[in-house]
Amino acid sequence: MIAEPSPASSLPSQKENAVHDETVPESAVQNGSCLRNGNLKTPREKRKVREQCENIRRNSSNNRRVSHLQNGEVVEAVTLFEVVSMGKRAMQSVVDDWVEAYKQDRNVALLDLISFFIQCSGCQGMVTAEMFQSLHKKDVMRKMTETFDEETGLQYKKFMAYPWILTVTWPVDMDNEDYPLIRTGPYWKKFKANFCEFIAVLVRQCQCSILYDSYLMDTIISLLTGLADSMVRAFRHTSTLAAMKLLTAVVSVHLNLDVNKHNAQRLYEVEKNRISGKRTSYRLDQLQRRRKEYEQKLLEIQNVMNAIFKGTFLNRYRDVIPEIRATCIEEIGSWMKTYPDAFLNDSYLKYIGWMLYDKQAEVRLKCLLGLQGIYSRKDLVSRMDLFTSRFKDRIVSMPLDKDHEVAVQAMKLLMLLSQLLSHEGDEEVLPRRGEKFGASTDQLKTLIRFFLESELHKHVAYLVDSLWDWAGKFLKDWECMTTLLLKNAEEDGEALSDAHESALIEIILATVREAAEGHPPVGRGAARKILSVKEKKIQLEDCTKITEHFIMVLPQLLAKYSADAEKVTNLLQIPQYYDLDVYSTGHLEKHLDALLREVKDIVAKHSDMSVLEASSRTYYFLCSEEIAIYSQVDGARTQLIDELVEQLNQLLNSFWQKEEGFCADAGEISQIHSALRRIAAFHNAHDLTKWNLYDKTLRLLVFEMERGDLSVQMILPALQCTYFSLLWQLAAAVENSPKETLLALRRELRRFCQICMCFLHHKEKDVREKAFMILCDWLLILSHQDSNNNEAAGLLDYLPSTSLQEKLLLFIQEHVFMEEEEESKDLTEEEERKDKNCKLNDLHEKRSLLAAYCKLIVHNVVEMAAAAEIYKHYMKTYNDFGDIIKETLSRTRHNNKIQSAKTLILCLQQLFQTHVESHDSSSGMDLSSASFTNIKELARRFSLTFGWDQVKSRESVAMIHKEGIEFAFQGATGMDGKCLPPKLSFLLIISEFSNKLLKPDKRLVYAYLQRYIAEPLSCRGDEWQPLVWYRNSLLANEDEESSVLSSLGEWSPVGTSKTSSFKRKLSNGSLPETSHTEAARRDADFQCASQLASATGKSRKKLKSREMHLQEHLPFLCPAGLQRRYSQDEIKTEGVSVKDQAEDTSEDVDIDVVGADQDS
C-alpha cells in the first residue's frame, strides 16, 4: 500500500532553492523531494529513524555548505542539487562529504542521492520509500506500476530501488513542462556538464571503498533503470544520461583494475621465479590475495556494466526521443574507444550501424562522430572489417544527407576510409624528367580540372575550405603553384591553358586567405572560429611563409599577367596578408621596389575599376605609418598621383579650350574618362586634398547642370571624385578647424546636395542612380555627426527637407517598383543568356537603390512614415526585395515600436483607401475582390513578423488595433452610430492581428471597440458582418463564446441581458442604453477592464495592481478618462456586484500578465 505522507513520519523537506541572480535563473528553483521510510512497525522505531536521519542530514548539510555570492550576499547551498546547480568548484569536497555520510548511515545517504536524481529530472513532487523486506514478492511485482489518481490529479510511479520500493508523486502536467536537461541558456548547459561531472567524480571517489559493497551500485542501478522505464520524458532522459555516464565512469574503473591486476600478476610471477632461498611465502600469499581481490572486483564491475547496458541502453537506444537515442549512441562510441577489448566487436557495433538509418539528424551525427574516432586509430581498424563491409553503402550515401552537418561529417569519415585504403596500395610516385614537384603538380592539375569541369559553382573559396582539413599541406604548397604559373610553354609542352591559369590564381588567393585569416568563407560556418593557441601559432607561421615566398614571386607574376585584368585583380589582393616587417628585417627592399614598379605599370595600362581599386588598396596596405617601409611606399605613391593629376590637368585644359568642350572628340573623352577613374579609385582610399581636385571636378558638374552636354563617361567619375573630396574635407574639418573654414565647407556641402538633387532628373539612367546613391550616403553621414559634443559637427549637420524626402521617395517608386513592360521576342540562346544577365544586373542595381533608401529610414534621416510606401510592395515584390523590406521593418520596430506599428497600419489604411476609391461605393464593398484579398494577406504577413513573443510585441499590436478601430469608424460620427460606417470592412483586415494579442489585451481592445458601438444595434444584414467577425476574433479563445455571439445574424445589445452577461469572461458589464454620442461624452464611466466579468470576486488590491500594470503598458487604450470607479452599492445582478465580478476576472488576468513580465 502506498504510504501517505504525514509530518510526523517524514524527514525534513529540503529547503527551496532561493537563489535568484544572473548566474542562477529563477527556473532553476526546485521544490525539495520528501523522503521517508514508510513501513516501520512501532512509533518508537519511527521516531528513532527520524532522529537519526535528521542528525545525519544536518551534519552532512553542514559539511556540504557551499558559498555562492549573490548581490553582495553569501548564499549557501545545502542539497546536492543546489551544489551541482551552482557549479563544480566544490564538487570533489561535496562527494567526499557524501561518502563519509554513506559510511555513517548508508540508507540516509542513499535517500539523499535518490532525491538528487529526482530533482535533476525537474520533478516538483514527493518521493516516499518502503522497505522491500516487508513485502511479498507478488505484491512487489503488482506495485511496479505508473498510474494516475483521478481524485488528486497526481501521477504516481512505483518502482524498485533495492532495498526500497520508491513512490514518486508529481503533477500530471509534468510531461508538458521543461526540465533542466532541455532548458536553454549558458546556465543550463553548465548544469548538464556539472551533472555529468558529479557522476564521474562520485564513481572515482568510491572506487577504492564502497563501490564494491553490493549495496550502493545495486540501489543506483535499480533507481536509474526504474526511472528510465517511465512514461515521463524528464525521468527517462535524465536517468538515461546518468546511467550512460555512470557506465562510462565504471569502464574507466574497469581499465584501472585491469592494469592493477596485470601488475599484481607480474609481481607474483617475478616473486615466484626467485631462488627458493630468497623467496618468502608471506610475500607470495600477499600478492596472490591481491590478485584474487582484483579479479573479484573485476567480476563485480563486469556485472555492473552488464546490468546498466542491458537494463538501460538496450531499452533506450531506440527511444522515441531523439536526444535520448543520441546520448546512448554517443556514449557507446566512447566505450569502444576507451575499452575496445570489451566493446569493439560486432555485438556492439551493430547498434551504431542501425542508428545510421535514424530519422533524426542528431542521432546520425553522433554515429558518424563515433565512427570517426574509431577509424582514426589504426590499431582499431582491423576489428572493423565486418562492420565496414556491412554498412559501407550507407556511409557512402550519407554525404548526400539533407542535413548539412551530417553530410560534412560523413564526407570526413569517407576521407578517413579512403586514406586507410590508399595506404594499403601506395606506390611511390617518382618525379618525371627531374621535376621537383612531380606528384604535387599532378594533384594540382587534377584539382583545377575538377573545379572547371564540375561546374557546381564559381566560388573556389568553398572548394579550398572543404579540403583544408584533409589536404592542408598540399594546398599550402605555394612554391609548386607559382612555379607552375611561371613555367614557359617551351620548357614543358603541357603548360596550363588560360582558363587553368585563372583557376590556379583563384586557388592561390583562396589558400592564402584561408591560411592568413584562419576562418571559413561566408556561409560555411555560423560564426568565426575561435582559434586555439596552437592554431594561432600555425597561422603566424603561415603568414611568414606567405610573405617570404610572395615578396619575391609576386612581382614576376604581375609582370607576366599585367595585361589580364582578372588575373591581376586577384594577384593584387595577396599583399594585404603580408607581414610587412619582413621587408625590413629580411633586407628585401629591392623586391618592394619591384612590386611598386609593377603596380604603377598596371595602373597606367588599365582603366577597369576593379583593377584600379585593387591597386589603390595595395598602396593603402603598404602605406602604414608604423612600418619602416612607409617612406619608401609613400614616395612611390606621391610620384604616381603627381603623374595622374598632371595628366588630368592637361586633358581638362585642352577640353575647356575647345569652345567649352563642344569640339571634344571621342578619343579625348575616353582619355578624360580613364584619368578621372584612376583619380577616383585612389581618392577613395587616399587623401588627395593637397592636389586640389575638388574645383576641377566641380566645374565639370556645374557645366553639366547648366548646359547638359557632357558625356556620361565624364559625369560619373567626376561625381565620385567630388564626393570623395568633400568626404576627406569633412573628416579633416570635424577634428579642428576655424569657423570660417567650417562655414565655407557647409556652403560647399549644400551646393553638392543641390547638384545631386538636380541629377536625380538627368536624362541618363546611370547618372540618376549614381546621384541617388551618393545623395543617400551623403545624407546618412551628415545627419549622424555628433553635434552635441562637437561644434564643428553642429555647423555641418544636415537633415533633408520635406521636399527632398518626397523626391527621394518618388525616385524609389519610379526606379525600383515601376514595372517594365516586357516585349516578347524570339531570341537565340546566346541572346537569352545575355538578356538574363542584363535583368540580373538591373535587379542588383534596384536592390542597391532600395537598400540605400531603407538605411535613411532605419537611421531616422527621413520620416518613418515614408516606409509605408515601401511596405505596400512587400507581397508583390517579395522574391526580389522581400528580405530588404523585412529587415527594414525589423530595424524600425527595434528603434520605435509604436511608430513602427503606426507605419504598418498607415500602409494598410492607404491601400484600403485606394481600394475603396477604385470601387463603386453604391454597390457596397466587395470583400472577395482580388485587391481586398491582397490587403488582407499583406496584413497577415505583417502579423507573422511579430513572431511568437506576444509580450515583446504587445504595445505594437495593441496600437495597430487602436488605430484600425478608429479608422474603421471614421465618418460614423453624427449618425448616432446607427448607420453603417463607410470603412467598417477595415476591421476584417486588422482582425489578422488579433491572434498576436495577449488575453488581457484582447479584453482591453474589446472594451475600446465598445466605445464606437451604439446600443441597441440591429446588425442583421451582411454589411455588418466585418464587425461581427472582428469581435469574434477578439473573443475566439474565451470560454462560453456562444453566449457572447448568440448568432451571426443578430448581435444582442450589451448590457440588456440579465444573467448571461455576468457568466461570461468577456462581458461589457452593464451599459446604460444611450446613443453613441452620449456614450462618447460619458467615456469616464466606461470601465476598460472592470467590465470583464467572472463567477466570484477575490481581491480588490489585485485588481488595482492589474489596472496599473495594463495602464503602464497600454496607456493609449486606458486614458485618464477611462479610470475605474468601483462602488459596492453600484450595479448588482442576482446578488453579485460588478466589483466582485471584475475582481474575480483580475485573478485570471494576473496570471498572464505576471508571466508575461517574466518573459520580457
Side-chain angles (χ1 to χ4, degrees):
M1 179 177 180
I2 299 176
E4 294 295 330
S6 63
S9 60
S10 63
L11 292 176
S13 296
Q14 298 172 2
K15 295 182 179 179
E16 200 175 60
N17 183 2
V19 180
H20 304 299
D21 61 3
E22 293 181 356
T23 60
V24 182
E26 290 184 7
S27 54
V29 179
Q30 301 288 333
N31 292 332
S33 300
C34 180
L35 293 157
R36 77 182 182 98
N37 288 311
N39 200 25
L40 298 177
K41 296 180 179 179
T42 65
R44 178 175 295 180
E45 290 178 353
K46 293 181 179 180
R47 184 167 59 252
K48 182 178 179 180
V49 170
R50 184 172 69 252
E51 291 173 354
Q52 290 176 349
C53 294
E54 289 175 352
N55 292 334
I56 293 173
R57 185 176 293 268
R58 189 181 300 114
N59 293 335
S60 62
S61 298
N62 291 333
N63 293 333
R64 191 164 56 236
R65 292 184 187 276
V66 177
S67 297
H68 183 72
L69 190 63
Q70 173 200 324
N71 298 329
E73 299 180 0
V74 175
V75 178
E76 293 184 340
V78 177
T79 66
L80 287 173
F81 177 79
E82 291 169 352
V83 173
V84 172
S85 298
M86 286 184 175
K88 57 183 181 180
R89 291 178 298 175
M91 198 79 72
Q92 189 81 27
S93 61
V94 169
V95 172
D96 291 339
D97 292 342
W98 184 87
V99 172
E100 291 300 322
Y102 180 88
K103 292 178 180 178
Q104 295 180 27
D105 191 315
R106 60 186 186 182
N107 289 338
V108 174
L110 276 175
L111 289 175
D112 199 9
L113 187 62
I114 291 170
S115 172
F116 165 74
F117 285 115
I118 297 298
Q119 283 183 290
C120 289
S121 301
C123 180
Q124 300 180 4
M126 180 179 65
V127 182
T128 59
E130 315 173 63
M131 296 304 295
F132 167 68
Q133 289 85 348
S134 64
L135 296 172
H136 297 292
K137 184 175 181 181
K138 185 179 296 185
D139 294 332
V140 172
M141 298 306 296
R142 183 173 57 84
K143 290 179 178 291
M144 301 298 105
T145 57
E146 185 167 340
T147 59
F148 170 61
D149 190 334
E150 295 182 358
E151 295 182 1
T152 61
L154 297 176
Q155 192 91 356
Y156 289 89
K157 177 170 180 63
K158 180 178 279 289
F159 61 94
M160 171 77 72
Y162 186 85
W164 298 287
I165 297 175
L166 297 178
T167 303
V168 184
T169 310
W170 69 91
V172 69
D173 60 346
M174 182 178 166
D175 258 338
N176 299 324
E177 295 180 358
D178 61 347
Y179 52 95
L181 290 184
I182 64 171
R183 290 174 185 155
T184 57
Y187 172 81
W188 294 112
K189 289 182 180 178
K190 292 180 180 178
F191 172 82
K192 182 177 180 180
N194 296 339
F195 177 71
C196 299
E197 176 70 14
F198 173 80
I199 296 173
V201 173
L202 179 65
V203 174
R204 187 166 63 246
Q205 294 302 105
C206 297
Q207 65 178 332
C208 298
S209 55
I210 61 177
L211 192 66
Y212 313 100
D213 65 354
S214 300
Y215 192 80
L216 171 65
M217 295 307 295
D218 288 350
T219 303
I220 295 177
I221 293 173
S222 299
L223 169 71
L224 298 180
T225 303
L227 290 176
D229 289 334
S230 172
M231 292 183 294
V232 179
R233 168 180 174 167
F235 287 150
R236 288 205 318 279
H237 191 182
T238 306
S239 59
T240 301
L241 177 62
M244 296 299 99
K245 292 297 179 181
L246 181 65
L247 182 49
T248 301
V250 170
V251 166
S252 299
V253 173
H254 190 285
L255 291 175
N256 293 335
L257 288 175
D258 198 41
V259 171
N260 293 335
K261 189 192 93 167
H262 283 88
N263 291 339
Q265 179 68 28
R266 192 167 59 253
L267 290 174
Y268 178 80
E269 295 295 337
V270 170
E271 187 68 24
K272 186 177 180 181
N273 294 332
R274 282 188 175 185
I275 303 173
S276 58
K278 295 183 179 181
R279 184 175 58 202
T280 60
S281 59
Y282 172 76
R283 176 66 174 166
L284 282 175
D285 293 341
Q286 185 184 30
L287 291 173
Q288 181 70 4
R289 284 196 303 272
R290 185 184 302 176
R291 187 183 62 177
K292 290 183 178 180
E293 179 184 349
Y294 285 138
E295 291 176 352
Q296 183 63 30
K297 288 182 177 180
L298 280 171
L299 182 60
E300 293 183 15
I301 291 297
Q302 190 65 45
N303 292 334
V304 168
M305 292 166 56
N306 291 334
I308 298 175
F309 186 84
K310 294 179 180 179
T312 303
F313 180 89
L314 291 182
N315 294 326
R316 300 277 69 82
Y317 86 93
R318 50 189 177 181
D319 195 279
V320 294
I321 305 301
E323 290 89 346
I324 297 178
R325 302 198 300 272
T327 298
C328 293
I329 296 302
E330 182 180 15
E331 293 305 314
I332 195 175
S334 68
W335 304 335
M336 291 176 180
K337 289 181 289 184
T338 306
Y339 193 13
D341 292 339
F343 289 98
L344 193 59
N345 55 61
D346 298 328
S347 298
Y348 294 96
L349 281 169
K350 63 184 180 183
Y351 300 112
I352 294 183
W354 293 341
M355 290 296 104
L356 286 171
Y357 297 89
D358 195 278
K359 293 181 179 180
Q360 294 296 324
E362 180 184 3
V363 182
R364 301 195 299 273
L365 182 62
K366 295 298 182 183
C367 294
L368 293 171
L369 292 175
L371 291 174
Q372 286 180 22
I374 297 172
Y375 280 108
S376 61
R377 292 176 53 179
K378 295 181 181 179
D379 57 319
L380 303 181
V381 174
S382 59
R383 310 184 188 189
M384 302 290 291
D385 293 340
L386 183 59
F387 177 87
T388 304
S389 62
R390 170 63 179 83
F391 295 101
K392 179 179 63 177
D393 293 340
R394 172 56 181 161
I395 297 173
V396 169
S397 69
M398 292 185 76
L400 301 177
D401 195 280
K402 62 182 180 181
D403 185 81
H404 172 72
E405 188 61 25
V406 172
V408 170
Q409 297 303 328
M411 195 66 201
K412 290 184 177 181
L413 179 59
L414 288 176
M415 293 289 288
L416 279 173
L417 289 171
S418 66
Q419 289 178 1
L420 294 173
L421 294 175
S422 63
H423 287 321
E424 297 176 1
D426 272 351
E427 295 181 2
E428 186 177 359
V429 180
L430 297 176
R432 297 172 299 169
R433 283 185 265 168
E435 288 182 355
K436 183 179 178 182
F437 308 104
S440 297
T441 301
D442 292 339
Q443 292 177 356
L444 197 56
K445 290 181 178 179
T446 302
L447 179 62
I448 294 172
R449 284 196 299 271
F450 171 78
F451 173 65
L452 293 176
E453 295 172 4
S454 63
E455 297 182 352
L456 294 177
H457 54 72
K458 298 181 180 180
H459 305 291
V460 74
Y462 297 95
L463 173 64
V464 170
D465 181 67
S466 63
L467 299 174
W468 194 255
D469 293 335
W470 304 97
K473 184 178 179 181
F474 157 67
L475 293 174
K476 293 178 185 179
D477 193 354
W478 295 295
E479 186 178 358
C480 172
M481 298 179 187
T482 53
T483 300
L484 192 59
L485 283 174
L486 294 172
K487 188 182 299 183
N488 294 323
E490 292 79 10
E491 299 177 8
D492 189 351
E494 298 180 3
L496 298 178
S497 64
D498 183 70
H500 285 67
E501 287 178 339
S502 298
L504 181 53
I505 291 175
E506 288 187 48
I507 291 173
I508 290 175
L509 178 60
T511 54
V512 168
R513 182 187 292 116
E514 186 94 8
E517 295 181 349
H519 60 79
V522 177
R524 184 53 69 82
R528 289 203 170 192
K529 187 170 101 174
I530 299 176
L531 302 179
S532 63
V533 176
K534 183 179 179 182
E535 289 172 333
K536 288 181 180 179
K537 183 180 178 181
I538 295 174
Q539 184 182 12
L540 292 175
E541 292 174 352
D542 289 339
C543 285
T544 304
K545 183 181 176 183
I546 290 168
T547 307
E548 292 175 347
H549 177 69
F550 284 98
I551 274 178
M552 294 179 286
V553 176
L554 185 59
Q556 303 175 40
L557 293 172
L558 291 174
K560 181 176 180 179
Y561 299 107
S562 60
D564 193 315
E566 181 184 358
K567 296 185 179 69
V568 166
T569 302
N570 289 326
L571 290 172
L572 284 174
Q573 296 181 48
I574 295 177
Q576 64 181 294
Y577 304 107
Y578 281 3
D579 179 6
L580 297 178
D581 291 326
V582 175
Y583 274 115
S584 54
T585 57
H587 304 288
L588 300 173
E589 288 81 0
K590 63 177 182 180
H591 296 289
L592 178 61
D593 288 334
L595 175 63
L596 294 173
R597 189 165 52 250
E598 294 299 333
V599 175
K600 181 180 178 181
D601 292 341
I602 289 171
V603 172
K605 288 181 181 178
H606 293 273
S607 61
D608 185 85
M609 208 61 190
S610 59
V611 177
L612 296 175
E613 288 178 351
S615 303
S616 176
R617 282 196 300 269
T618 301
Y619 276 102
Y620 176 78
F621 288 120
L622 296 175
C623 280
S624 180
E625 296 183 3
E626 297 82 12
I627 307 300
I629 62 173
Y630 170 73
S631 58
Q632 185 178 355
V633 180
D634 184 56
R637 177 182 61 176
T638 303
Q639 182 182 359
L640 174 61
I641 300 300
D642 285 337
E643 294 178 3
L644 293 177
V645 173
E646 179 63 26
Q647 181 187 9
L648 178 64
N649 288 336
Q650 293 177 2
L651 291 171
L652 288 179
N653 290 335
S654 175
F655 176 80
W656 295 121
Q657 289 174 1
K658 292 183 178 181
E659 298 182 7
E660 297 290 337
F662 286 109
C663 299
D665 56 16
E668 288 180 316
I669 292 176
S670 178
Q671 289 180 353
I672 296 174
H673 168 68
S674 300
L676 285 172
R677 283 169 71 92
R678 294 187 181 99
I679 293 293
F682 277 85
H683 214 341
N684 189 10
H686 307 272
D687 186 4
L688 308 184
T689 305
K690 63 181 181 180
W691 279 276
N692 194 23
L693 295 167
Y694 175 74
D695 293 335
K696 300 178 179 63
T697 55
L698 182 64
R699 184 181 177 184
L700 290 171
L701 298 180
V702 173
F703 178 81
E704 170 63 19
M705 188 170 61
E706 294 175 353
R707 308 281 290 271
D709 295 320
L710 284 184
S711 169
V712 178
Q713 293 180 331
M714 295 174 63
I715 299 173
L716 295 178
L719 199 58
Q720 271 191 308
C721 285
T722 309
Y723 172 55
F724 292 144
S725 297
L726 286 174
L727 279 181
W728 284 109
Q729 293 181 46
L730 181 64
V734 170
E735 295 176 2
N736 190 10
S737 298
K739 190 172 182 179
E740 293 76 13
T741 305
L742 294 175
L743 292 175
L745 178 59
R746 181 180 180 181
R747 286 193 298 272
E748 296 301 327
L749 296 178
R750 302 295 191 271
R751 187 181 184 185
F752 182 67
C753 286
Q754 291 296 328
I755 293 174
C756 291
M757 290 173 60
C758 179
F759 283 168
L760 290 179
H761 306 285
H762 198 276
K763 58 184 179 181
E764 295 291 340
K765 177 184 174 184
D766 293 340
V767 176
R768 295 196 300 267
E769 292 180 351
K770 175 62 71 174
F772 180 84
M773 294 293 294
I774 290 177
L775 189 57
C776 288
D777 291 344
W778 196 234
L779 292 173
L780 194 62
I781 293 170
L782 293 179
S783 62
H784 279 73
Q785 301 293 324
D786 191 3
S787 57
N788 295 327
N789 301 324
N790 193 313
E791 182 181 356
L795 287 174
L796 300 175
D797 190 21
Y798 179 72
L799 286 174
S801 61
T802 304
S803 62
L804 178 55
Q805 294 186 38
E806 292 175 354
K807 290 180 180 179
L808 293 174
L809 180 58
L810 181 62
F811 186 91
I812 286 294
Q813 291 175 332
E814 292 179 350
H815 290 76
V816 176
F817 297 117
M818 187 70 71
E819 295 184 2
E820 299 179 358
E821 296 182 1
E822 296 185 4
E823 298 181 2
S824 57
K825 297 180 180 179
D826 295 332
L827 302 177
T828 63
E829 184 176 348
E830 180 66 20
E831 290 174 340
E832 287 182 357
R833 186 181 61 83
K834 290 182 178 180
D835 185 60
K836 183 178 180 180
N837 291 335
C838 183
K839 289 181 179 179
L840 286 176
N841 291 333
D842 289 342
L843 177 60
H844 177 71
E845 292 174 358
K846 288 182 178 180
R847 286 176 57 85
S848 299
L849 294 173
L850 181 60
Y853 182 74
C854 289
K855 286 180 184 177
L856 300 181
I857 298 174
V858 169
H859 293 283
N860 299 317
V861 179
V862 301
E863 297 292 336
M864 193 182 295
E869 294 294 334
I870 306 297
Y871 297 158
K872 290 179 182 179
H873 304 276
Y874 181 60
M875 288 287 298
K876 193 172 184 180
T877 63
Y878 184 81
N879 292 332
D880 295 336
F881 311 115
D883 55 336
I884 299 176
I885 299 175
K886 196 172 182 179
E887 183 66 17
T888 304
L889 201 159
S890 174
R891 296 287 186 91
T892 53
R893 184 175 297 157
H894 177 76
N895 294 340
N896 190 325
K897 293 181 180 179
I898 299 300
Q899 190 60 37
S900 175
K902 289 183 177 180
T903 305
L904 287 182
I905 196 66
L906 175 62
C907 170
L908 297 174
Q909 289 171 357
Q910 292 175 352
L911 289 173
F912 181 81
Q913 191 66 34
T914 304
H915 168 75
V916 172
E917 293 172 356
S918 62
H919 287 74
D920 185 10
S921 58
S922 61
S923 60
M925 182 69 66
D926 184 7
L927 302 183
S928 61
S929 63
S931 59
F932 187 85
T933 304
N934 291 337
I935 300 173
K936 200 166 183 294
E937 177 63 19
L938 180 61
R940 188 186 72 85
R941 290 291 189 96
F942 286 162
S943 173
L944 293 176
T945 62
F946 287 101
W948 295 101
D949 193 347
Q950 293 176 306
V951 177
K952 187 177 179 180
S953 59
R954 63 182 308 190
E955 294 93 344
S956 302
V957 178
M959 176 57 71
I960 288 175
H961 282 274
K962 173 183 177 297
E963 296 285 332
I965 292 172
E966 293 175 356
F967 179 78
F969 285 94
Q970 281 182 4
T973 56
M975 304 176 184
D976 292 333
K978 298 179 181 179
C979 295
L980 180 72
K983 302 175 182 177
L984 188 68
S985 301
F986 190 73
L987 293 177
L988 280 178
I989 295 173
I990 62 172
S991 66
E992 296 292 339
F993 297 91
S994 296
N995 63 338
K996 298 298 179 181
L997 286 169
L998 291 170
K999 185 184 294 185
D1001 296 347
K1002 284 186 177 181
R1003 296 169 179 174
L1004 277 177
V1005 172
Y1006 177 74
Y1008 191 78
L1009 176 66
Q1010 296 303 105
R1011 299 172 57 190
Y1012 293 88
I1013 301 174
E1015 70 293 358
L1017 184 65
S1018 176
C1019 29
R1020 299 177 182 275
D1022 292 340
E1023 64 273 8
W1024 287 97
Q1025 289 300 323
L1027 181 58
V1028 177
W1029 287 335
Y1030 179 59
R1031 192 173 75 161
N1032 188 15
S1033 70
L1034 296 177
L1035 306 175
N1037 295 327
E1038 298 297 333
D1039 297 333
E1040 302 181 19
E1041 179 187 342
S1042 58
S1043 66
V1044 179
L1045 299 175
S1046 56
S1047 67
L1048 291 178
E1050 181 177 357
W1051 190 350
S1052 300
V1054 178
T1056 57
S1057 62
K1058 295 182 179 180
T1059 59
S1060 62
S1061 62
F1062 290 102
K1063 292 181 181 179
R1064 60 198 181 219
K1065 286 187 176 180
L1066 288 179
S1067 169
N1068 275 329
S1070 181
L1071 301 179
E1073 296 184 5
T1074 57
S1075 65
H1076 181 76
T1077 306
E1078 184 179 356
R1081 291 197 306 267
R1082 298 183 59 186
D1083 279 346
D1085 294 330
F1086 278 89
Q1087 312 300 326
C1088 280
S1090 66
Q1091 298 162 353
L1092 311 175
S1094 185
T1096 58
K1098 291 282 184 177
S1099 168
R1100 183 168 186 174
K1101 181 178 179 181
K1102 181 178 289 187
L1103 180 60
K1104 290 183 177 179
S1105 172
R1106 167 181 166 273
E1107 188 179 287
M1108 295 293 293
H1109 179 82
L1110 292 177
Q1111 291 176 17
E1112 177 184 353
H1113 284 82
L1114 305 173
F1116 42 81
L1117 287 178
C1118 285
L1122 296 178
Q1123 301 299 319
R1124 301 175 184 271
R1125 297 178 184 175
Y1126 292 105
S1127 174
Q1128 218 165 6
D1129 298 325
E1130 282 184 355
I1131 309 168
K1132 293 186 177 180
T1133 303
E1134 293 185 358
V1136 181
S1137 68
V1138 174
K1139 167 194 167 184
D1140 292 338
Q1141 298 153 9
E1143 288 177 345
D1144 180 72
T1145 304
S1146 71
E1147 181 183 2
D1148 297 334
V1149 178
D1150 276 350
I1151 297 174
D1152 289 330
V1153 174
V1154 173
D1157 285 343
Q1158 290 176 352
D1159 294 339
S1160 61

